[in-house]
Amino acid sequence: DAKTTQPPSMDCAEGRAANLPCNHSTISGNEYVYWYRQIHSQGPQYIIHGLKNNETNEMASLIITEDRKSSTLILPHATLRDTAVYYCIVTGNTGKLIFGQGTTLQVKP
Amino acid sequence: NAGVTQTPKFQVLKTGQSMTLQCAQDMNHNSMYWYRQDPGMGLRLIYYSASEGTTDKGEVPNGYNVSRLNKREFSLRLESAAPSQTSVYFCASSERGRWEAFFGQGTRLTVV
């Protein structure tokens, strides 16, 4: 599975969009991009995933570049409850979910 | 619908003691995982089971054994606990081929 690179931390103002980048330059054709988040010390929570096309659900949007070497998770209207560690994971047929260090998002009032 | 249930939630062990962490899921998922998370760190995969009867090593398998007892249950055993195994342990499950994993609430283990 391809490795991912994320910034260690980011701040966002409450009510603004939070844009979290992820680099996965070694991604292969059959690998998906998954995003999870971990709030405080709870178990991680699935957010969204995609292969090639941009995806949107009730929680977030996922923008994947045309060459698939990077992606951005967008939380359209961040709230204080979105303060968490966000993990970008690339996985394919191995089925192994390998978490990196993630990005700590701090949403500020 | 309980999802993924881990027992116990907290445990203190003495160095050299053994114990088994239990995990059960009620979502009929094929794949199950064990992770550990040290303070301030990301999750590291210990073992993975793609289906009943199969297990595979993850990033940090040394010092651990696992058993996929049936489709519902996946246990993690520490044969001789060491202080370096002090961590929070998370179990997760997902449907095969879909990596939307569901996580338990974790077991906080301290080895003294």
Side-chain angles (χ1 to χ4, degrees), chain A residues 34 36 38 41 91 96-97, chain B residues 35 37 56-57 99 101 108:
Chain A
Y34 275 75
Y36 283 78
Q38 187 175 26
S41 55
T91 190
K96 295 181 182 180
L97 290 172
Chain B
Y35 291 90
Q37 186 172 32
D56 194 10
K57 293 179 180 179
W99 315 126
R108 282 146 183 82

Side-chain angles (χ1 to χ4, degrees), chain B residues 24-80:
Chain B
Q25 51 93 7
D26 61 4
M27 295 171 283
N28 203 35
H29 285 163
N30 288 296
S31 302
M32 296 187 74
Y33 315 76
W34 275 107
Y35 291 90
R36 63 175 286 173
Q37 186 172 32
D38 299 333
M41 304 288 287
L43 284 79
R44 290 185 291 171
L45 182 64
I46 304 172
Y47 270 96
Y48 162 68
S49 172
S51 61
E52 183 179 352
T54 68
T55 60
D56 194 10
K57 293 179 180 179
E59 302 169 274
V60 288
N62 291 343
Y64 304 95
N65 288 302
V66 290
S67 295
R68 184 72 184 268
L69 304 169
N70 47 55
K71 194 171 185 179
R72 288 188 66 245
E73 298 171 292
F74 189 37
S75 62
L76 179 73
R77 183 161 178 83
L78 288 70
E79 291 291 351
S80 179

Side-chain angles (χ1 to χ4, degrees), chain A residues 32 34 36 38 40-46 48-49 87 89 91-102, chain B residues 33 35 37 40-45 48 56-59 88 90 94 97-105 108:
Chain A
Y32 285 78
Y34 275 75
Y36 283 78
Q38 187 175 26
H40 195 45
S41 55
Q42 299 175 18
Q45 175 190 24
Y46 163 80
I48 198 168
H49 75 278
Y87 296 97
I89 301 171
T91 190
N93 293 331
T94 67
K96 295 181 182 180
L97 290 172
I98 304 296
F99 287 74
Q101 293 301 307
Chain B
Y33 315 76
Y35 291 90
Q37 186 172 32
M41 304 288 287
L43 284 79
R44 290 185 291 171
L45 182 64
Y48 162 68
D56 194 10
K57 293 179 180 179
E59 302 169 274
V88 179
F90 289 102
S94 69
R98 294 176 60 86
W99 315 126
E100 300 150 54
F102 293 81
F103 283 77
Q105 287 305 300
R108 282 146 183 82

Side-chain angles (χ1 to χ4, degrees), chain A residues 12-37:
Chain A
C12 178
E14 188 177 20
R16 297 283 197 169
N19 296 280
L20 291 91
C22 180
N23 181 285
H24 31 79
S25 58
T26 61
I27 193 169
S28 59
N30 64 345
E31 289 183 317
Y32 285 78
V33 180
Y34 275 75
W35 284 83
Y36 283 78
R37 73 180 182 183

Side-chain angles (χ1 to χ4, degrees), chain A residues 19 32 34 51 57-58 67 74 76 80-81 83 87 92:
Chain A
N19 296 280
Y32 285 78
Y34 275 75
L51 182 64
N57 63 19
E58 64 278 5
D67 64 6
I74 301 173
L80 298 178
R81 288 178 293 181
T83 292
Y87 296 97

